[in-house]
Amino acid sequence: MDGVGTDRGERVLLIGATNRPDELDEAARRRMEKRLYIPLPDFNGRRFLIHRLLQLLEASTGEASGEEVAQTQRRVHHLTEEELDQLAAKTEGYSGADLKLLCKDAAMGPLRELGKGSLSVVKASDLRPIVMKDFLKALRRLKPSVGQSEVIRYEDWNKQFGSFSALDGEDEDEEEDEKE
């Protein structure tokens, strides 16, 4: 932003994020030098996010319960590579936040089976691993939070005001130079 720094050597990086870019007024939009549209994750992105969220869950179970290193080696899920692929396919249209909620909900599956009375005394090592049926139940409860009409609106805004092509991230001027 103009005039923010007092010393020429100072560097200021301002990053803003919104789900409502069309509500930015012209003056604010003009001051944002780069306007990047971050689309919903594709198949590979969803698969990676689900896998990563499960890895983080695995890493946290041993630390959270204070158990020794052997406990952190315990697998908290038994999903195969094929099942991860199935989940990635079934979650088309899900945002990163939606996938995080999905993984949290699926992780509650083993707890739900225990019943309310035993929750206060259960250890992580007592829980069965998360399996595909936990994700399938979670998918029935959780739907994508971003509608297709919103995606179209974001893509249209990006075509009009975005800094890069939504298709491949390349500068459109470079593509035109290649054609000539």
Side-chain angles (χ1 to χ4, degrees):
M1 297 289 173
D2 295 336
V4 172
T6 57
D7 180 5
R8 287 190 170 275
E10 288 182 6
R11 301 271 185 209
V12 176
L13 175 65
L14 174 67
I15 298 176
T18 182
N19 289 336
R20 301 282 180 234
D22 49 334
E23 293 180 15
L24 291 173
D25 72 347
E26 182 182 337
R29 190 176 61 241
R30 193 173 49 244
R31 286 174 173 83
M32 304 291 170
E33 290 183 24
K34 299 288 183 192
R35 293 171 298 277
L36 306 174
Y37 165 60
I38 310 296
L40 293 173
D42 61 6
F43 176 89
N44 290 327
R46 292 188 309 275
R47 189 185 191 289
F48 173 82
L49 285 170
I50 293 167
H51 183 259
R52 181 71 179 133
L53 288 164
L54 290 170
Q55 282 180 325
L56 292 172
L57 184 62
E58 243 170 41
S60 70
T61 56
E63 296 167 19
S65 63
E67 297 174 24
E68 295 301 318
V69 173
Q71 177 57 31
T72 61
Q73 301 295 323
R74 184 175 91 71
R75 298 262 331 234
V76 297
H77 74 88
H78 282 168
L79 295 178
T80 65
E81 296 297 315
E82 293 79 22
E83 288 172 329
L84 284 171
D85 288 343
Q86 289 173 18
L87 281 174
K90 289 178 182 290
T91 54
E92 185 170 355
Y94 282 62
S95 69
D98 295 336
L99 294 173
K100 185 175 183 179
L101 285 174
L102 182 74
C103 289
K104 282 184 176 184
D105 193 89
M108 296 300 291
L111 284 171
R112 287 185 184 107
E113 289 178 359
L114 293 177
K116 293 181 183 178
S118 58
L119 289 180
S120 62
V121 294
V122 70
K123 296 179 191 173
S125 59
D126 296 335
L127 296 175
R128 70 162 172 78
I130 303 163
V131 293
M132 186 66 168
K133 76 174 182 175
D134 298 315
F135 275 96
L136 295 175
K137 287 179 181 179
L139 280 167
R140 285 194 293 271
R141 284 188 284 276
L142 302 170
K143 302 297 178 203
S145 62
V146 181
Q148 187 60 32
S149 62
E150 290 176 282
V151 171
I152 292 168
R153 196 175 78 233
Y154 298 148
E155 289 171 349
D156 289 345
W157 189 91
N158 187 56
K159 287 176 189 169
Q160 186 173 3
F161 300 110
S163 296
F164 300 102
S165 167
L167 298 176
D168 56 12
E170 290 183 27
D171 191 342
E172 290 179 7
D173 292 336
E174 290 177 16
E175 291 175 17
E176 289 179 18
D177 290 343
E178 290 175 10
K179 289 177 185 175
E180 294 175 3

